[in-house]
Amino acid sequence: MLLVPGTTYVFIDALNTDDFCSLPRDEWRSENLLAARAKVFPYCDDPYALFQADHRVFELARIVHSATATPDDLHEFCSDSGLMLVIETAQFFEFIGQTDFDTLADLIEDNDTLSQWPEPLQRYTGKAYLFRTSEIAEHFAGGGNFRIQ
């Protein structure tokens, strides 16, 4: 993945994006992602990671399995579906308002990663990525707890 150094990205299970959309639209659009962790996911210590890019090229090898979740560690995230969305935080709420989990799952059906978006999401090319947790390691297909190093 090509990231913009200094820009913050959210690493979130694509299935969890639907949880934001279950709130009234004016409520989730006004949330900041740090505050939303506890509000939208009160029973999960690591629903998504907030990661400030430190290099242009982000290798999935920087993501490692984490045996347990550490509360308030913003570099940790969990996955249940095994389908991860990575997107600039500034684009997150607009993006999830235009798509849902089923659409994202269909887009990556025949691929392990997705970086080129079809219409009407084409403007997110270079800003949003999809990957399967099996790309981290085959035995992580389907999910788990992870940490960005």
Side-chain angles (χ1 to χ4, degrees), residues 115-135:
S115 59
Q116 297 292 321
W117 295 89
E119 285 294 338
L121 301 172
Q122 189 174 27
R123 66 186 214 85
Y124 296 101
T125 296
K127 297 177 182 178
Y129 303 90
L130 284 176
F131 70 89
R132 297 180 190 278
T133 54
S134 60
E135 290 301 294

Side-chain angles (χ1 to χ4, degrees), residues 26-43:
D26 60 335
E27 188 174 324
W28 60 263
R29 280 194 164 279
S30 65
E31 286 289 339
N32 75 52
L33 283 167
L34 184 57
R37 275 175 66 112
K39 186 173 185 177
V40 179
F41 303 98
Y43 304 108

Side-chain angles (χ1 to χ4, degrees), residues 10-136:
V10 60
F11 284 65
I12 186 169
D13 186 303
L15 186 60
N16 291 346
T17 62
D18 289 348
D19 291 330
F20 281 96
C21 296
S22 67
L23 299 173
R25 190 175 194 97
D26 60 335
E27 188 174 324
W28 60 263
R29 280 194 164 279
S30 65
E31 286 289 339
N32 75 52
L33 283 167
L34 184 57
R37 275 175 66 112
K39 186 173 185 177
V40 179
F41 303 98
Y43 304 108
C44 185
D45 290 330
D46 58 352
Y48 51 86
L50 296 174
F51 174 75
Q52 185 172 12
D54 50 1
H55 299 288
R56 179 139 174 79
V57 176
F58 182 89
E59 300 287 342
L60 291 181
R62 292 187 64 181
I63 300 174
V64 296
H65 181 259
S66 179
T68 60
T70 306
D72 301 322
D73 186 336
L74 297 180
H75 284 162
E76 289 190 4
F77 62 89
C78 63
S79 176
D80 293 322
S81 74
L83 179 57
M84 297 302 304
L85 170 66
V86 178
I87 187 167
E88 294 178 6
T89 55
Q91 304 289 320
F92 178 72
F93 290 112
E94 181 178 293
F95 181 87
I96 66 170
Q98 296 179 34
T99 190
D100 59 23
F101 175 75
D102 291 332
T103 300
L104 297 175
D106 288 345
L107 287 172
I108 199 168
E109 185 175 340
D110 297 326
N111 304 294
D112 292 321
T113 60
L114 178 72
S115 59
Q116 297 292 321
W117 295 89
E119 285 294 338
L121 301 172
Q122 189 174 27
R123 66 186 214 85
Y124 296 101
T125 296
K127 297 177 182 178
Y129 303 90
L130 284 176
F131 70 89
R132 297 180 190 278
T133 54
S134 60
E135 290 301 294
I136 298 167

